[in-house]
């Protein structure tokens, strides 16, 4: 069993995600709801960009994870693939908020989809860390 875990990147869901959750459920009222959503989306976008920066690449957390537990390579590749999908969802939501013809219901649905994708990504990453550092594969006395 590997005994020196890496830290799980926590920047995926910064505190502003709570505001996004609320906006994803709340009715779009007032003339500035789109601006509020963009303001709340910005730290999520920045946090996710930072998460991608520290996890990907030869010196990133994912490379450390695969070195520690090569059997998890497939799961790590899945996480990297999710990065592209989540980045696209962030960009699509931001673009949709700027378009006056996009309904509030569609913006809320896109917000909920993004939050579900972020939550799934966080859970998968946590599961892989658990597998790497807590699962006992045996072979030791």
């Amino acid at each position: 069993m590997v005994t020196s875990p890496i830290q799980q990147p926590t920047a995926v869901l910064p505190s502003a995600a709570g505001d996004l959750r609320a906006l994803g459920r709340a009715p779009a009222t007032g003339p500035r709801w789109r601006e509020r959503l963009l303001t709340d989306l910005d730290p999520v976008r920045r946090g996710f960009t930072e998460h991608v920066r520290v996890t990907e690449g030869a010196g990133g957390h994912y490379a450390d994870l695969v070195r520690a537990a090569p059997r998890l390579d497939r799961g790590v590749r899945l996480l990297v693939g999710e990065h592209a999908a989540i980045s696209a969802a962030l960009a699509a939501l931001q673009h949709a908020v700027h378009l006056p013809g996009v309904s509030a219901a569609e913006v809320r649905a896109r917000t909920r989809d993004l939050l579900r994708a972020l939550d799934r990504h966080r859970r998968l990453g946590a599961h892989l860390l658990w597998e790497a550092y807590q699962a006992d594969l045996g072979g030791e006395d």
Side-chain angles (χ1 to χ4, degrees):
M1 177 167 71
V2 177
T3 58
S4 59
I6 60 172
Q7 291 186 345
Q8 180 178 12
T10 58
V12 176
L13 285 173
S15 60
D19 294 331
L20 278 180
R21 287 186 203 286
L23 285 169
R25 292 186 304 265
T29 57
R32 304 186 63 90
W33 72 269
R34 290 178 188 265
E35 290 86 4
R36 283 193 330 267
L37 179 57
L38 287 171
T39 298
D40 292 339
L41 184 61
D42 192 51
V44 174
R45 184 186 47 76
R46 284 193 322 267
F48 189 72
T49 299
E50 177 65 10
H51 165 77
V52 170
R53 186 189 69 73
V54 300
T55 57
E56 289 189 6
H61 291 316
Y62 292 163
D64 292 343
L65 184 62
V66 171
R67 278 191 291 277
R71 70 190 182 282
L72 300 177
D73 181 68
R74 180 181 173 279
V76 166
R77 283 186 280 122
L78 179 64
L79 285 171
V80 170
E82 285 184 351
H83 286 172
I86 291 170
S87 293
L90 278 161
L93 174 57
Q94 190 167 10
H95 181 70
V97 171
H98 284 293
L99 298 174
V102 175
S103 72
E106 183 177 338
V107 170
R108 278 195 303 275
R110 286 179 185 251
T111 301
R112 286 189 300 267
D113 290 346
L114 171 63
L115 289 167
R116 275 193 295 273
L118 287 167
D119 186 58
R120 178 184 186 283
H121 186 72
R122 183 199 54 77
R123 284 184 286 115
L124 179 57
H127 176 74
L128 284 178
L129 286 173
W130 184 88
E131 284 291 320
Y133 300 113
Q134 301 301 321
D136 186 357
L137 299 179
E140 296 180 31
D141 290 332

